[in-house]
Amino acid sequence: MRKSQKTEQIADHRWMAGLEDQEHIGARSTASGENTRMSGIKFQDLVLARNNLNLAYQRVTKNKGAAGLDGMTVEDLLPYLKEHRKELLEQLANGTYKPAPVKRVEIPKPNGGTRKLGIPTVVDRMVQQAVAQVMSPVFEQAFSESSFGFRPGRSAQQAIKQVVSFYNEGFHRVVDLDLKAYFDTVNHDLLIKFIEQYVNDPWLTKLIRRFLTSGVMNHGLFESSEKGTPQGGPLSPLLANIYLNELDKELTKRGHKFVRYADDCNIYVKSQRAGQRVLESISNFLEGRLKVTVNQKKTQVGSPLRLKFLGFSLGVGHGGAYVRPAKEPKLRIKQALKQITKRNRGVSTDKIFQEIQQKMRGWIQYFSVGKMTTFIQTLDKWLRSRIRQYIWKQWKKTKTKINNLKRLGLSTSDAVKSANTRKGYWRTAHSKTLLYTLTNEKLERLGLMNLTKTLQFIQSA
């Protein structure tokens, strides 16, 4: 049943205040590990408040995403809620709400293998989002300053800047921790225990446990979920951070310099010997206390100049350390552009330009904190050659080539000579003819993204 209008208005008011200053009114300090209540307002009231649920709906529909096990899309969510709103609120309030199993989806990793995702139904996603919105401000007060992943106002770029700072302070060795299948191995009982250090609300922890144990549907077969917090739902990143916050607290207690982004954690020390010692003791803590497995094959102690973190690597110049994209991301982005500009695709150049824009804007934005001007300039030049090759292939017939070359400023005799060349597409793309007719400026006017200008714009903003 719905709460009384007065209670709902109080909960709505307190939630909106929490949105404004990122702190719930009346929340007790969580730094010391005290249980947290909202000045007489239960978490249940905050989660089910109208404003909170409306915000959760808006965020789920904005994020779109694939349908879950029931096939319901985000477009179907509003009609469903109009018809079943009262029933849904009653189930949530009285504790009978039962999340559906998540749909197993596997996506390829850049370095090989697959990453397992669990896609909840859109209704479950909305409920998870509503819970996360209430819990996040509480745990933000408890999380470490050295944790950067899946947190409001924090980013991978900030994490890598912290790495540079540590290196310049003399921490020239890193313990690069790799947790084996972390999201699939989180211990549910320990996670609930860590939540209860800061949140004392049986209704909330019961609901979270139901999400954790809802199971997975994998190729039509149901699999129980006795451990793990599947990636794919709005609540999963927060729960993962709550769990590994115990690692952060242990590292802080020991006085270590570290940077953590989700399950990627680097600990910075001043010698190889210290690194080996820290690796052994922290591995014992992770496997003994947190019940997660350290991947010994991938975990290592080494130089930050040779190891990569979050797709970046370090270099050193006269001004100290600096970051740059690691070798692998550069190879991957060039390969992606190569697939987009394959000369036998048979799609319009407008579509090609649109796909390049979609792919490169986010990539450049992510790596813009790094030193990569030379790489981008080289990539720009190569990409323009790929486009010239694509356009030359599109013209096909000799007559079409002659007409287009004349339209672009070539004399009739030169156009005829160039159109009848026996050179291959790639050699022709570098010829004086296409460099003269399909200039850089002309390609940009047609819609080709100028990568160098984009990088300069982002870095100067």
Side-chain angles (χ1 to χ4, degrees):
M1 300 277 301
R2 289 191 58 190
K3 300 296 170 187
S4 69
Q5 185 176 0
K6 182 177 179 181
T7 303
E8 189 175 77
Q9 287 174 346
I10 293 173
D12 286 356
H13 169 72
R14 292 184 182 277
W15 169 248
M16 291 306 293
L19 283 180
E20 291 172 5
D21 62 9
Q22 292 298 300
E23 291 183 4
H24 287 293
I25 295 174
R28 291 160 61 186
S29 169
T30 58
S32 61
E34 295 181 76
N35 290 336
T36 306
R37 279 188 177 274
M38 302 301 161
S39 189
I41 304 299
K42 294 180 179 180
F43 276 92
Q44 177 179 344
D45 298 317
L46 294 168
V47 171
L48 300 184
R50 182 186 298 130
N51 286 335
N52 187 47
L53 290 173
N54 285 343
L55 182 61
Y57 166 81
Q58 291 167 10
R59 287 180 172 170
V60 167
T61 54
K62 182 180 179 181
N63 291 338
K64 299 187 182 298
L69 195 62
D70 59 359
M72 186 188 298
T73 66
V74 290
E75 289 78 15
D76 301 326
L77 182 56
L78 183 59
Y80 175 87
L81 292 175
K82 285 180 178 179
E83 183 176 351
H84 299 281
R85 177 176 176 272
K86 183 178 179 181
E87 176 188 350
L88 175 63
L89 288 173
E90 286 179 350
Q91 290 177 352
L92 287 167
N94 62 29
T96 59
Y97 179 79
K98 187 176 180 181
V102 298
K103 182 171 70 174
R104 171 68 75 218
V105 176
E106 296 185 1
I107 59 173
K109 291 183 179 180
N111 56 351
T114 58
R115 175 176 285 111
K116 295 179 180 179
L117 299 183
I119 309 301
T121 65
V122 289
V123 175
D124 287 342
R125 291 211 293 270
M126 190 188 79
V127 176
Q128 285 192 32
Q129 181 65 42
V131 171
Q133 287 168 180
V134 170
M135 290 178 65
S136 182
V138 175
F139 283 95
E140 276 301 305
Q141 299 175 62
F143 287 157
S144 167
E145 288 297 311
S146 296
S147 167
F148 294 89
F150 307 115
R151 294 181 59 188
R154 288 175 169 259
S155 66
Q157 289 79 6
Q158 292 172 329
I160 204 67
K161 285 180 180 179
Q162 185 64 68
V163 170
V164 172
S165 176
F166 287 156
Y167 189 90
N168 289 335
E169 290 173 20
F171 294 89
H172 293 175
R173 282 290 178 273
V174 58
V175 180
D176 183 11
L177 287 173
D178 186 278
L179 302 181
K180 189 174 182 179
Y182 165 67
F183 285 89
D184 297 326
T185 57
V186 167
N187 183 287
H188 292 170
D189 291 334
L190 283 177
L191 175 57
I192 296 299
K193 175 186 174 183
F194 299 151
I195 292 172
E196 289 175 340
Q197 292 177 7
Y198 305 95
V199 172
N200 180 18
D201 192 311
W203 177 86
L204 187 65
T205 52
K206 180 181 177 181
L207 180 59
I208 291 172
R209 190 179 282 276
R210 285 197 169 181
F211 275 116
L212 292 171
T213 58
S214 61
V216 176
M217 194 64 74
N218 189 5
H219 299 294
L221 298 176
F222 176 79
E223 298 174 1
S224 61
S225 48
E226 298 175 357
K227 58 183 179 179
T229 170
Q231 298 179 77
L235 194 54
S236 180
L238 176 60
L239 298 181
N241 268 335
I242 291 172
Y243 201 85
L244 285 182
N245 188 50
E246 299 303 307
L247 170 62
D248 298 345
K249 292 194 302 188
E250 182 69 17
L251 291 171
T252 301
K253 184 174 72 174
R254 298 185 187 189
H256 290 310
K257 303 283 188 181
F258 70 98
V259 174
R260 184 175 65 80
Y261 192 95
D263 59 332
D264 288 327
C265 184
N266 278 3
I267 308 166
Y268 295 87
V269 294
K270 292 190 173 182
S271 71
Q272 186 75 14
R273 184 177 179 182
Q276 294 294 345
R277 185 172 64 249
V278 169
L279 172 58
E280 183 179 354
S281 61
I282 290 301
S283 295
N284 290 337
F285 173 82
L286 286 165
E287 296 185 342
R289 295 273 297 278
L290 297 189
K291 310 299 182 187
V292 293
T293 303
V294 176
N295 189 336
Q296 298 296 340
K297 291 183 179 180
K298 294 184 178 180
T299 295
Q300 56 188 316
V301 180
S303 168
L305 302 180
R306 291 196 299 270
L307 302 179
K308 64 180 186 293
F309 183 55
L310 303 178
F312 291 89
S313 60
L314 289 191
V316 178
H318 294 299
Y322 60 87
V323 293
R324 58 192 174 191
K327 181 180 178 181
E328 291 82 355
K330 291 193 289 188
L331 291 174
R332 285 198 298 269
I333 196 63
K334 188 171 182 178
Q335 185 61 33
L337 291 174
K338 196 171 184 178
Q339 290 298 314
I340 291 173
T341 58
K342 285 177 65 176
R343 65 173 187 250
N344 61 352
R345 283 193 66 192
V347 298
S348 68
T349 51
D350 287 342
K351 181 172 177 58
I352 296 288
F353 295 155
Q354 182 183 13
E355 290 179 8
I356 291 171
Q357 182 93 3
Q358 291 171 345
K359 174 64 69 172
M360 290 306 302
R361 183 161 293 278
W363 194 93
I364 293 175
Q365 182 76 51
Y366 181 83
F367 287 105
S368 61
V369 296
K371 186 176 181 180
M372 60 170 180
T373 301
T374 302
F375 169 72
I376 288 295
Q377 289 173 343
T378 304
L379 191 65
D380 238 343
K381 184 177 179 180
W382 172 84
L383 182 59
R384 285 191 287 262
S385 295
R386 295 282 299 181
I387 295 301
R388 291 187 181 104
Q389 174 185 239
Y390 190 85
I391 292 173
W392 186 252
K393 174 75 161 53
Q394 273 198 325
W395 288 348
K396 294 183 180 179
K397 296 181 180 180
T398 302
K399 184 178 179 180
T400 305
K401 291 175 182 177
I402 293 171
N403 290 336
N404 284 331
L405 290 173
K406 287 169 63 177
R407 184 172 51 83
L408 290 168
L410 224 57
S411 66
T412 301
S413 60
D414 287 341
V416 171
K417 182 179 178 181
S418 297
N420 285 284
T421 181
R422 293 185 178 182
K423 292 179 181 178
Y425 293 111
W426 187 240
R427 284 190 65 189
T428 305
H430 293 84
S431 68
K432 290 181 180 180
T433 299
L434 290 194
L435 289 173
Y436 173 76
T437 53
L438 294 174
T439 63
N440 298 350
E441 293 75 18
K442 175 66 175 177
L443 292 177
E444 199 170 338
R445 286 198 299 272
L446 288 173
L448 178 62
M449 182 181 187
N450 188 310
L451 307 182
T452 304
K453 287 182 181 178
T454 303
L455 175 62
Q456 291 170 347
F457 176 79
I458 291 173
Q459 290 182 332
S460 62

